[in-house]
Amino acid sequence: MDKSIARINEAADLVLVGYHGAENGAELERLCGLVGVPLSYGNQPGVLNFSDAGAGKVIASFAEVFAPYFARGEVCLDLQADSADLLELLAAVGATVRGRVVGVVGAQGGAGVSTVAANLARQLAEAGACGLIDLNPASAGIDLRLAISTVPGKRWADLRGRGAILAGRLVQALPEWHGVRVLSADERASVPLELGARAISAVAQIADWTVLDLSPSATVPETVQNSWLEWCDLVLLVTRSDAVSLAEAAVAIGRLAAETPFVIVATAVSSRAEAAHISQTLGGCRVFPLRRERSAREDLDHGVAPGDRTRTRYARDLAAITAHCQQVP
């Protein structure tokens, strides 16, 4: 995915969808809501522009700056008969803008990735809309860890099929946890690999922040899971701090694409000196220490969800990681 395309509309000072008319606004608003893109009235130019061609009909055209990516010219569409074509156009517009995406991946299994991802998502949700996507094919469901497995809403198993994933409809259908919209596996199915990128695109169109809970295999080049890292504005590589784990972390770093921005999150680290040693061991990369906290399993047994403990050393360390994520351009 070309990230310059993803934000080109910001540089061009365009709204996403511009409507220059009066007859068909209500129906266009409904269709925009399904996809999750706003409709702007008035004369301000949009990535996609609509004008009236009579009751129930509109003329659609893309801005010139997007000519290399979309068809040139104009097309007249019937709002009812051609609704599928209109949704396809609107989905294309949604793909041109997105919030920030942070991938959380373990250098080895059992590093605490899901706990870090959940805590991070909860903190980011305090500053804007946030989504959390369970992208570990071996996951039994991150909603179990969040204690929302009985909360109604769509899971991965509900998204199987060939139909389009409409961003607005999807995000509104996901269960909510402390302001975070969560797309989780459950007992029926884990992440369908062929739908991963489409779901990331859909959630990121709506959310200011999207956090990806990834498995260690995501660092393996030329795999479907590895391609999900291309969406990430920042990758948190989570590792334990023992010698064997750091050797595995070094391998994982070597597998990351050269252009992938990443930092290390070292769990169970008790001092800055230890974090500095880990940084030196891993070639000088940025290391954020994450000190020990009561085990997530024990917390869950006592009804304590990730992020409930706000005055611990772990919470302070997590706040530093969150602040770094928020500085991502």
Side-chain angles (χ1 to χ4, degrees):
M1 185 192 64
D2 187 341
K3 294 182 182 178
S4 65
I5 296 174
R7 300 194 178 104
I8 191 173
N9 59 305
E10 295 178 8
D13 194 27
L14 302 172
V15 299
L16 286 180
V17 181
Y19 175 49
H20 319 294
E23 291 184 273
N24 301 297
E27 181 62 15
L28 282 175
E29 280 191 23
R30 186 185 73 83
L31 294 172
C32 286
L34 292 176
V35 177
V37 294
L39 180 68
S40 299
Y41 291 81
N43 295 319
Q44 188 172 357
V47 175
L48 176 62
N49 296 281
F50 289 108
S51 58
D52 290 328
K57 293 185 177 182
V58 292
I59 294 173
S61 62
F62 280 99
E64 280 298 315
V65 70
F66 285 92
Y69 311 109
F70 301 108
R72 296 174 183 270
E74 300 178 341
V75 59
C76 184
L77 297 168
D78 186 291
L79 290 172
Q80 298 298 322
D82 301 319
S83 59
D85 293 329
L86 278 162
L87 287 172
E88 185 175 347
L89 289 176
L90 292 168
V93 171
T96 70
V97 65
R98 61 172 178 81
R100 304 299 192 264
V101 179
V102 179
V104 186
V105 60
Q108 61 281 143
V113 167
S114 293
T115 301
V116 172
N119 274 284
L120 176 65
R122 184 168 174 177
Q123 289 201 6
L124 289 171
E126 295 178 2
C130 186
L132 173 61
I133 305 181
D134 181 357
L135 285 170
N136 186 342
S139 174
I142 198 172
D143 60 358
L144 293 170
R145 188 178 300 274
L146 307 180
I148 58 169
S149 58
T150 60
V151 175
K154 290 189 179 295
R155 269 69 175 181
W156 275 116
D158 301 308
L159 303 188
R160 291 186 178 276
R162 298 182 178 180
I165 296 179
L166 300 178
R169 178 178 287 178
L170 169 64
V171 171
Q172 288 301 313
L174 295 177
E176 187 173 355
W177 173 76
H178 294 288
V180 180
R181 293 288 182 170
V182 182
L183 177 55
S184 174
D186 62 7
E187 71 280 357
R188 296 172 296 163
S190 62
V191 50
L193 296 181
E194 70 278 6
L195 295 183
R198 291 167 59 193
I200 296 169
S201 175
V203 174
Q205 286 177 38
I206 305 299
D208 300 307
W209 292 96
T210 302
V211 180
L212 312 182
D213 177 6
L214 298 155
S215 73
S217 55
T219 63
V220 178
E222 299 181 4
T223 62
V224 172
Q225 296 176 66
N226 182 256
S227 69
W228 298 336
L229 292 180
E230 296 179 10
W231 287 89
C232 297
D233 298 288
L234 178 67
V235 172
L236 306 184
L237 184 62
V238 184
T239 181
R240 297 188 295 270
S241 55
D242 60 273
V244 173
S245 296
L246 293 180
E248 292 172 336
V251 172
I253 291 171
R255 288 173 172 171
L256 293 174
E259 65 274 12
T260 301
F262 75 94
V263 295
I264 300 295
V265 175
T267 59
V269 172
S270 58
S271 68
R272 292 183 179 179
E274 188 178 358
H277 170 71
I278 292 170
S279 176
Q280 184 178 18
T281 301
L282 297 178
C285 55
R286 181 82 178 267
V287 174
F288 284 89
L290 196 57
R291 285 170 283 189
R292 292 183 185 276
E293 190 173 49
R294 192 176 183 176
S295 75
R297 181 175 297 180
E298 187 177 353
D299 270 350
L300 185 59
D301 290 342
H302 289 82
V304 180
D308 282 353
R309 300 182 184 276
T310 59
R311 297 184 179 181
T312 64
R313 294 180 301 174
Y314 182 97
R316 290 195 294 271
D317 291 341
L318 216 293
I321 296 169
T322 303
H324 179 76
C325 292
Q326 291 173 326
Q327 295 171 6
V328 173

